[in-house]
Amino acid sequence: MAHTSAPHILVVDDDPAMRALMGEYLEENELRVSTAASGAEMARVLQDQIIDLVILDLRLSGEDGMQLARELRATTKIPVIIVTGKRDEADRVMGLEIAADDYMTKPFSNRELLARIRAVLRRCQASSEAPAPGRPSQRRAYRFAGWELNLLARRLTAPQGHRVELSNGEFNLLLALCEAPQRALTRDQLLELSRLHGAEVYDRSIDVQILRLRRKIEVDASAPQFIRTERGVGYLFDAQVEALN
């Protein structure tokens, strides 16, 4: 299984052999892969997982793949590579007109597919690192050291791929830390930031919440690598955090 920090690719194709072939090859090349055979399955995966790129075959049985591509582009910022048949020039033109990030024509080699995926991911990463001024984007997730904090599903996934259960207070506290990495935050600041996201800390101290969170994400809670104590100040989240829009 690929590391949780590896890009997560969704392959949408109604041919089970194609799904299996692409999925196996991409996983061998250190990508995480989910698959879907229909628009409904695609929607379920997108609701449940943080996807970095969608490979969408426009010729799905009984469905308008182009309409699915339009809806995907209208509702998300996830990059899309569309897949068309050899003679479907009109599909290629329409796909590019709706701002698909790339297209591929069947048959194609797995090496070409991997190269195009990597190229699109590089372009999108460069674009996300320089957002247009005055246009804040909604975060989908934060990633740090292989961990993934899914803001849509309110889910924390460990580097090994399993889900780690968090209380509302723990989730919002980790969210506050991810939003301010490498910054020393006082206990009052953490209390305020966590409450801003809708969770009540009740009468529990921030120190107790921090201890519980450390037990879930640190290798050794008594010698934390991520949530460091800043004496006389509060706490600092010592991690390189990637924000996914």
Side-chain angles (χ1 to χ4, degrees):
M1 177 181 293
H3 200 273
T4 307
S5 61
H8 195 165
I9 311 301
L10 173 58
V11 176
V12 185
D13 195 306
D14 59 3
D15 184 338
M18 282 294 295
R19 293 197 305 273
L21 184 65
M22 286 191 283
E24 181 178 353
Y25 183 80
L26 296 179
E27 287 179 342
E28 288 174 353
N29 284 274
E30 300 182 345
L31 294 170
R32 287 184 291 157
V33 180
S34 292
T35 62
S38 66
E41 289 184 14
M42 177 181 75
R44 284 194 291 270
V45 174
L46 291 173
Q47 185 176 19
D48 191 56
Q49 304 287 334
I50 296 299
I51 298 299
D52 295 283
L53 183 145
V54 175
I55 301 170
L56 175 61
D57 190 333
L58 296 183
R59 297 297 183 181
L60 299 176
S61 298
E63 294 190 83
D64 186 345
M66 190 62 69
Q67 182 59 34
L68 291 176
R70 290 192 185 97
E71 293 172 359
L72 196 59
R73 175 55 66 232
T75 56
T76 78
K77 296 182 179 180
I78 302 172
V80 180
I81 297 178
I82 60 173
V83 176
T84 70
K86 187 174 182 179
R87 297 185 179 87
D88 297 332
E89 180 179 358
D91 282 351
R92 296 199 297 273
V93 172
M94 289 178 64
L96 295 175
E97 286 179 349
I98 65 171
D101 296 271
D102 201 352
Y103 72 87
M104 300 188 68
T105 302
K106 289 183 177 180
F108 51 79
S109 70
N110 283 330
R111 290 183 62 185
E112 180 186 4
L113 173 65
L114 181 63
R116 287 178 180 266
I117 288 172
R118 287 175 172 169
V120 170
L121 289 175
R122 283 196 301 269
R123 291 200 303 268
C124 291
Q125 182 178 5
S127 176
S128 66
E129 289 173 352
R135 295 181 59 188
S137 55
Q138 183 178 0
R139 299 283 189 237
R140 294 188 297 135
Y142 287 104
R143 288 179 181 154
F144 63 94
W147 293 84
E148 181 176 273
L149 188 67
N150 184 330
L151 307 190
L152 304 179
R154 294 183 67 83
R155 173 182 301 167
L156 177 65
T157 303
Q160 298 78 14
H162 63 270
R163 180 176 179 177
V164 176
E165 296 294 336
L166 297 178
S167 68
N168 283 335
E170 292 163 352
F171 179 91
N172 286 343
L173 183 56
L174 182 55
L175 174 56
L177 292 168
C178 286
E179 290 178 335
Q182 310 296 336
R183 282 176 49 194
L185 299 173
T186 67
R187 289 166 175 81
D188 287 342
Q189 286 176 316
L190 286 169
L191 180 63
E192 180 181 359
L193 288 169
S194 60
R195 280 181 170 169
L196 282 175
H197 295 287
E200 290 296 339
V201 181
Y202 302 110
D203 59 351
R204 300 170 184 168
S205 69
I206 284 294
D207 294 332
V208 172
Q209 293 284 330
I210 289 287
L211 178 58
R212 291 176 175 173
L213 191 55
R214 279 174 171 168
R215 288 172 176 167
K216 294 183 177 181
I217 69 171
E218 301 281 5
V219 174
D220 182 356
S222 64
Q225 298 178 348
F226 298 132
I227 308 176
R228 288 176 30 206
T229 301
E230 292 289 297
R231 297 194 180 280
V233 181
Y235 296 97
L236 180 145
F237 193 54
D238 192 6
Q240 295 295 320
V241 178
E242 176 189 5
L244 280 72
N245 298 327

